[in-house]
Amino acid sequence: MAIYILKRVLLMIPTLFGVMLITFAITQFVPGGPVEKMIAEIQGVGKGGGEVRSTTAMYRGDSGLDGDKIEQLKKLYGFDQPPMKRFLTMMKNFLVFDFGTSYYYHRSVAELVVSRMPVSMSLGLWSFLIVYGVCIPLGIKKAVRDGSRFDIISSTVILVGYAIPGFVLGVVLVVLFGGGSFWSIFPLRGLVSDNWDELSWTMKILDYLWHMVLPVTASAVGSLAVMTMLTKNSFLEEIRKNYVLTARAKGLAEPQVLYKHVFRNGIIPIITGFPGYFIASFFTGSLLIETIFSLQGMGLLAYESVLNRDYPVVLGTLYFFTLIGLISRLLSDLSYVVVDPRISFERIDG
């Protein structure tokens, strides 16, 4: 086990390095970098969504700025150094989680991510709890009652929910319950109300949960079908195996057969994805959901950073989330051993 973990950790290094190198190289060829955007703002061109011209055009004298000013701007953003030197310096800083300062927000990238994390954590955590809390018992019941009217109706409902994109459902929820054309029941902005500090602890909790109803519903519905059908198929496969027939032949009650024998085998494919999904739920964001419900989360931050060529935020968050993704994959693999002792990585290593 220790050798397997060591191998996986060592493989993370070139994977992470390769992801960052490719992304860094791409950013060097994207027009409208921070230097060009600053020149455009000085000229009043880039404001209001105007397109920023390429670096080559700026150097032909049509920028209205002399060469010394342009060199000062390049030095300000660190573009006076060769690309490889900048990349190596960036990776050295990233190793100690120093992600630098945002070009656009003029704040520490780490501080910026922490300020946006509560929104993404709220959406992800509640979606995670709803998906696993609903899908596992529902999938088990569908497996037990396979082919029944309940199975057919529930499959139809969850597949219809799966077919509706989350952002479309979000818009429908806003129109129906957010004061659009019908009822004004749920709030549409932020995690809490403006007077949240004045509320009692009980009212603070209720206010927070009330704000979460619509965005979490729009975010979680699409995942219900996948997890439910995965649970159903996993348990259905186990129910049809010979050891279940043997257990029933011995006179065991159906709940004993289901929860003592079938459950611990059928739950393996679901539980093994638990670590990765759980960790991802804390750090990922949904751009469309956050935009519809006016939530300042990680999804919106990532979009704005790319749009504004905010390279410290783009590369810093990419490094952090790639690292988190690699660790979650390792934890998912290790969970196989925890859930099913028959699996041994020592045999694989040997």
Side-chain angles (χ1 to χ4, degrees), residues 1-317:
M1 175 70 74
I3 297 176
Y4 175 79
I5 295 175
L6 180 60
K7 286 182 178 179
R8 289 292 299 271
V9 172
L10 292 176
L11 284 173
M12 289 180 187
I13 298 174
T15 303
L16 185 60
F17 187 87
V19 169
M20 297 306 301
L21 180 60
I22 293 172
T23 307
F24 181 84
I26 292 174
T27 60
Q28 305 309 300
F29 298 99
V30 176
V35 175
E36 290 85 348
K37 287 184 69 67
M38 178 59 71
I39 294 174
E41 288 182 8
I42 292 174
Q43 295 181 282
V45 176
K47 295 180 181 180
E51 185 178 353
V52 180
R53 288 169 290 178
S54 67
T55 307
T56 305
M58 291 299 178
Y59 293 142
R60 289 203 294 262
D62 62 346
S63 65
L65 298 177
D66 57 36
D68 292 338
K69 292 291 185 181
I70 293 176
E71 290 301 322
Q72 289 178 8
L73 289 175
K74 291 176 66 177
K75 187 174 182 179
L76 174 65
Y77 291 107
F79 285 88
D80 58 328
Q81 301 293 331
M84 184 53 65
K85 184 176 180 180
R86 287 189 282 118
F87 175 74
L88 294 177
T89 302
M90 180 192 73
M91 292 302 296
K92 181 180 178 181
N93 293 333
F94 282 6
L95 288 175
V96 294
F97 295 99
D98 179 9
F99 302 126
T101 303
S102 167
Y103 295 156
Y104 183 74
Y105 296 97
H106 306 291
R107 296 171 58 188
S108 166
V109 174
E111 179 185 344
L112 194 60
V113 170
V114 170
S115 67
R116 298 294 187 98
M117 199 69 76
V119 171
S120 297
M121 289 177 64
S122 295
L123 285 174
L125 181 59
W126 287 113
S127 298
F128 169 82
L129 293 176
I130 290 174
V131 168
Y132 271 85
V134 172
C135 294
I136 292 179
L138 179 60
I140 294 174
K141 189 170 184 179
K142 284 173 63 63
V144 173
R145 302 179 60 180
D146 181 46
S148 65
R149 179 179 297 180
F150 168 80
D151 180 38
I152 296 173
I153 294 175
S154 59
S155 294
T156 303
V157 172
I158 62 174
L159 289 176
V160 169
Y162 178 73
I164 301 175
F167 70 92
V168 174
L169 179 60
V171 172
V172 173
L173 292 175
V174 168
V175 172
L176 290 178
F177 304 109
S181 303
F182 295 90
W183 304 282
S184 180
I185 300 176
F186 296 100
L188 297 178
R189 295 184 62 85
L191 292 178
V192 293
S193 301
D194 295 335
N195 64 335
W196 193 76
D197 292 331
E198 304 173 2
L199 301 176
S200 63
W201 279 106
T202 303
M203 293 304 298
K204 285 182 178 180
I205 295 173
L206 293 176
D207 181 74
Y208 165 74
L209 294 176
W210 202 241
H211 279 75
M212 284 287 97
V213 171
L214 295 187
V216 169
T217 301
S219 178
V221 166
S223 301
L224 293 177
V226 176
M227 190 61 64
T228 300
M229 299 310 294
L230 175 63
T231 304
K232 175 192 173 181
N233 293 333
S234 177
F235 276 80
L236 195 60
E237 181 181 357
E238 294 297 323
I239 289 174
R240 292 170 177 173
K241 289 185 177 180
N242 291 332
Y243 74 88
V244 176
L245 296 176
T246 304
R248 288 170 175 168
K250 290 181 178 179
L252 293 179
E254 197 62 27
Q256 284 184 293
V257 174
L258 181 62
Y259 293 104
K260 187 177 180 180
H261 296 279
V262 175
F263 186 83
R264 62 183 182 182
N265 293 320
I267 202 68
I268 291 176
I270 293 91
I271 294 299
T272 49
F274 184 95
Y277 193 94
F278 182 75
I279 293 176
S281 67
F282 279 88
F283 301 106
T284 55
S286 174
L287 168 63
L288 295 174
I289 298 297
E290 291 172 10
T291 302
I292 291 170
F293 295 99
S294 302
L295 299 172
Q296 297 292 322
M298 292 302 303
L300 195 58
L301 175 64
Y303 173 73
E304 291 173 346
S305 300
V306 173
L307 196 64
N308 293 294
R309 305 296 191 266
D310 197 351
Y311 295 151
V313 177
V314 173
L315 295 171
T317 53

